[in-house]
Amino acid sequence: MPKGDLRTFDEGDFDGSLEVQSFRGIPFDKAKRSVNYAFELGKKPAKLYVIASAERDLKSMPKLRIWFNDFSLSREFKPNIELIEDRRMLSTIIYDISPFGKEGRNELSFVKSSMDPLSLLSLVVVAFYPDQDIKTKYSLDAGMMILRENENLELESIGRGILVMGGRKGSARILTERNNYFSSYYNYESDEVEIHDDGKVNVISESEYIAIMFYGTFSTKSPEIRLNPQLSTKDGNLLVYVKNESEVPLDKVIMNLTVNGITKFFKVYSPVSPNQELSEKVMQLTNGVTNVNLRVVGIKSGIRVVIDRPLG
């Protein structure tokens, strides 16, 4: 049977949306003593979690300092959950860093100051974006759960799920009533599987063992994001037009015009009200211009809608 523990560290209902970002791990050695992870947050989060998982030697606790936006989160490595597997210690630590998250670029750094062996297996960041127009029910689990070959772990999805597993090398099948998913990873990396079904989720190991470190499931009710992009020509000029036909305001609308795959116009509008119209004269058309495409992205609290509109 599976060995270890996945613990629910947060669950409930939230006025807003959740965004999960995961990053692959890296083994530290004599030459590689630190690693930086940069990630973007769409707005200042109401809550922000970091879940880091690692593998270390049983005999020693490495000295690992963790920084977030130049603030020291910890001078020591103090895991919440640990599991012994094949004379190694697998560890997961959960940080609530809600006061320190900011809109835009954020950076998390791990600096090892001792010679003790340590491999970072995965990093997961969960951001809660407040928004009165969106309702989310959620459950977040983290820890360290080991499945040997052909062992099965049953999870429950309430609409959408994010599963993160990793380690030295592994693969697994993830089965729901409607879909089959597959996960694999190598060399101390990790893999993220996004599940788009509700109901039972069965994780079946297809290798010597797999390590599951994070599982989050969400059910989100939000107004539809509706955009009406148009691309036209007038008097030899190329015109772009987008109307926000959503019933709610959007945090951002991004226009990106490409010609033969090369960006010729890029602009971010923020915020954008319901029924607001955006229009631009972007360039003079010349002979030989082909493959013109307008990509429009509408964003509301981490929820995105992408529309491509070619000329023609």
Side-chain angles (χ1 to χ4, degrees):
M1 61 181 296
K3 176 183 177 182
D5 194 13
L6 282 178
R7 300 178 188 173
T8 301
F9 64 90
D10 196 353
E11 64 179 347
D13 298 280
F14 176 64
D15 288 342
S17 66
L18 273 66
E19 181 181 39
V20 177
Q21 301 181 60
S22 70
F23 305 86
R24 293 180 174 180
I26 186 171
F28 292 105
D29 54 30
K30 293 181 180 179
K32 185 70 174 179
R33 303 286 291 275
S34 65
V35 61
N36 297 329
Y37 293 95
F39 57 92
E40 295 284 330
L41 296 178
K43 62 169 67 174
K44 182 173 176 58
K47 288 196 286 188
L48 185 64
Y49 291 109
V50 167
I51 302 99
S53 298
E55 177 186 302
R56 65 176 176 85
D57 192 88
L58 273 175
K59 299 177 181 178
S60 60
M61 178 70 79
K63 294 181 180 179
L64 184 73
R65 191 159 187 172
I66 305 174
W67 298 80
F68 182 69
N69 292 339
D70 297 323
F71 177 84
S72 178
L73 294 179
S74 174
R75 296 187 180 186
E76 299 178 85
F77 184 62
K78 293 183 177 180
N80 300 90
I81 300 170
E82 292 200 302
L83 176 66
I84 297 175
E85 179 66 21
D86 291 339
R87 299 185 298 278
R88 293 167 291 139
M89 184 69 77
L90 302 175
S91 309
T92 293
I93 186 168
I94 305 166
Y95 282 107
D96 182 346
I97 56 172
S98 302
F100 309 116
K102 62 182 181 181
E103 180 179 352
R105 179 185 172 90
N106 291 260
E107 189 169 283
L108 191 68
S109 301
F110 295 81
V111 182
K112 187 168 76 76
S113 58
S114 67
M115 299 299 292
D116 304 304
L118 178 71
S119 293
L120 191 63
L121 300 179
S122 75
L123 175 71
V124 178
V125 177
V126 185
F128 289 64
Y129 297 130
D131 194 315
Q132 293 299 314
D133 295 319
I134 301 174
K135 309 297 180 184
T136 298
K137 183 179 180 63
Y138 67 93
S139 179
L140 304 176
D141 297 350
M144 192 63 67
M145 180 73 76
I146 298 297
L147 276 68
R148 292 291 184 181
E149 188 171 6
N150 294 322
E151 284 188 330
N152 173 75
L153 176 66
E154 186 175 279
L155 301 169
E156 186 77 24
S157 172
I158 58 176
R160 173 175 171 241
I162 301 290
L163 179 71
V164 177
M165 61 184 69
R168 296 189 175 188
K169 179 182 178 180
S171 62
R173 286 180 297 136
I174 299 96
L175 310 179
T176 69
E177 289 185 0
R178 290 173 290 279
N179 289 293
N180 296 344
Y181 304 86
F182 182 76
S183 173
S184 65
Y185 53 86
Y186 303 90
N187 192 30
Y188 289 101
E189 293 185 342
S190 62
D191 187 38
E192 174 188 308
V193 179
E194 186 168 354
I195 299 159
H196 297 279
D197 306 294
D198 57 4
K200 301 295 182 184
V201 177
N202 288 290
V203 184
I204 304 169
S205 174
E206 291 192 330
S207 55
E208 182 181 354
Y209 84 89
I210 61 171
I212 299 174
M213 296 165 287
F214 173 83
Y215 179 67
T217 181
F218 331 93
S219 176
T220 301
K221 295 181 180 179
S222 65
E224 183 183 1
I225 298 177
R226 297 193 302 272
L227 297 169
N228 182 17
Q230 302 292 333
L231 190 56
S232 61
T233 60
K234 183 178 181 181
D235 299 328
N237 294 309
L238 188 60
L239 310 176
V240 296
Y241 166 88
V242 176
K243 182 178 181 180
N244 178 20
E245 296 183 346
S246 312
E247 296 180 353
V248 293
L250 303 180
D251 298 332
K252 293 178 183 178
V253 171
I254 302 171
M255 287 192 201
N256 183 28
L257 180 82
T258 59
V259 178
N260 295 328
I262 300 173
T263 297
K264 296 295 185 179
F265 174 78
F266 181 87
K267 190 169 182 178
V268 179
Y269 305 83
S270 179
V272 179
S273 304
N275 296 313
Q276 183 176 343
E277 299 178 356
L278 310 171
S279 60
E280 302 279 353
K281 182 173 71 173
V282 296
M283 62 180 289
Q284 185 79 28
L285 288 177
T286 58
N287 292 332
V289 171
T290 58
N291 298 325
V292 180
N293 185 74
L294 174 65
R295 170 163 288 188
V296 177
V297 183
I299 303 173
K300 183 172 178 60
S301 296
I303 298 173
R304 293 170 174 255
V305 168
V306 180
I307 301 173
D308 284 308
R309 188 77 73 213
L311 177 64

